Each structure stands twice: as C-alpha cells, then as structure tokens.
Amino acid sequence: MSVTPEFALAHTRAWVDRAVIGLNLCPFAKAVQAKGQVRYVFSDTTDEQVLLDTLCAEMHYLAETDPAKTDTTLIVHPNVLTDFELFNDFLDAADAAVEELGYGGVLQVATFHPQYQFADTNPDDITNATNRSPYPTLQLLREESVDRAADAFPEAETIYETNMRTLQALGPEKLAALQARCEADAATPPPTA
C-alpha cells in the first residue's frame, strides 16, 4: 500500500474523530483528542523488527513524557503486518517488550487493523468494525489513564457490547459512508490561518 505519511496520519485522525469519537466507541477518546494529547506516529517500515523498535522507542517516550502533553500514542504502520493473522501474532512480541522494558503495569498495547476480526465472528461481521482502523495501528495506553477512565465510567465492561449494538444499528451502508468521509477528510487540506 503506497500512502504518504501525511495522508495516513490525517486519515487516522479523521477515523478517530468520526468513528471512535463520533460513534462513541471509546468514551475516553474525546477528551485526550480535544486536548491534543494523542501522539500520531507514522512508520513506513516493512520490517517487523523495525516496527518493534519503534514501539519500544515510543514506550520510552510516553513513559518519560508528562501525560498532560501526551497521554497516548498511535503508531500507524501501513506497510508491515497488513495481514491480520501476522499482526495478531506480533502482539506477543509487543506485550513481551512491555514487560522486558519494565513497563508492565505502566503501559499497555491496544490494537486496530483494517481486517480486525474478533474470535468467533465471520470476517464480514459488522461488529468487527469497532476495532477496524484505516491502517494497521498499535496504540500505547497509560495504565493509570485507563484506570482513571474506567473509574469515571462505572460500567466500562459494557462498552464492548454497546459498541456492537452501535455498529449493528449503523449498518454496512452507513459504515461505508462514514469510512468514505474519513478518507475524504484526509484528502482535504486543513484550512490555513
């Protein structure tokens, strides 16, 4: 997939705004996005080890950075782990790196992928779209922020079920239109001041 870093990051931001926040798939995302505390990183690598090195560097960055500046990081990597099974297998290495670097209980890795598929679902099941991003994406989350968000949202365990209902109610046609709007947003340059 040949995509410029600028387009891939703009496309991912549009997806966060329109899908993740717009559909309220993550009730915690709006505040950090509005405050500019989401770090978007593009990786053009085609090598899994280089991606793992990037993930480790971003773990160090996030651990050393004030949460008021950067609360979470999204690493967008359109040229590596494009196959969902390989992407899913990579998560063992990602989680092992969290532990090896001493960030267990401090940071965690969340995942999004264009082919994301939950266990026991068909590939075309619309509920898979809750974790389907425009490009393979690794997210680094601060455990402290996750805990704080869960405390603020007393029924956090119901988010997954609510998201499934949201996507089912949206339907495939409206989902496709939403995805097209995200792509159009990315292709439209931001207004100049």
Side-chain angles (χ1 to χ4, degrees), residues 44-129:
D44 64 356
T45 190
T46 58
D47 183 273
E48 290 180 28
Q49 184 58 52
V50 173
L51 178 63
L52 186 60
D53 293 344
T54 300
L55 179 66
C56 292
E58 288 302 318
M59 282 188 241
H60 291 310
Y61 172 85
L62 198 59
E64 296 166 3
T65 302
D66 184 342
K69 179 181 179 196
T70 305
D71 192 66
T72 187
T73 300
L74 292 171
I75 304 170
V76 180
H77 50 95
N79 302 316
V80 63
L81 301 174
T82 56
D83 178 87
F84 181 64
E85 286 186 32
L86 294 176
F87 176 81
N88 215 26
D89 291 345
F90 178 81
L91 300 182
D92 289 337
D95 289 338
V98 170
E99 295 301 323
E100 288 168 16
L101 293 175
Y103 295 129
V106 178
L107 300 175
Q108 64 178 257
V109 180
T111 58
F112 304 93
H113 195 280
Q115 301 165 0
Y116 201 98
Q117 184 177 346
F118 291 106
D120 302 323
T121 65
N122 292 321
D124 61 349
D125 188 322
I126 197 164
T127 62
N128 291 317

Side-chain angles (χ1 to χ4, degrees), residues 19-33:
V20 177
I21 295 171
L23 296 176
N24 200 31
L25 299 178
C26 177
F28 323 121
K30 185 176 183 177
V32 292
Q33 181 81 333

Side-chain angles (χ1 to χ4, degrees), residues 7 36 49 73 123 159 175:
F7 183 84
Q49 184 58 52
T73 300
I159 293 172
L175 176 61

Side-chain angles (χ1 to χ4, degrees), residues 126 167-168 170-177 179:
I126 197 164
L167 269 295
Q168 288 165 337
L170 186 67
E173 292 82 16
K174 288 182 181 174
L175 176 61
Q179 291 166 331

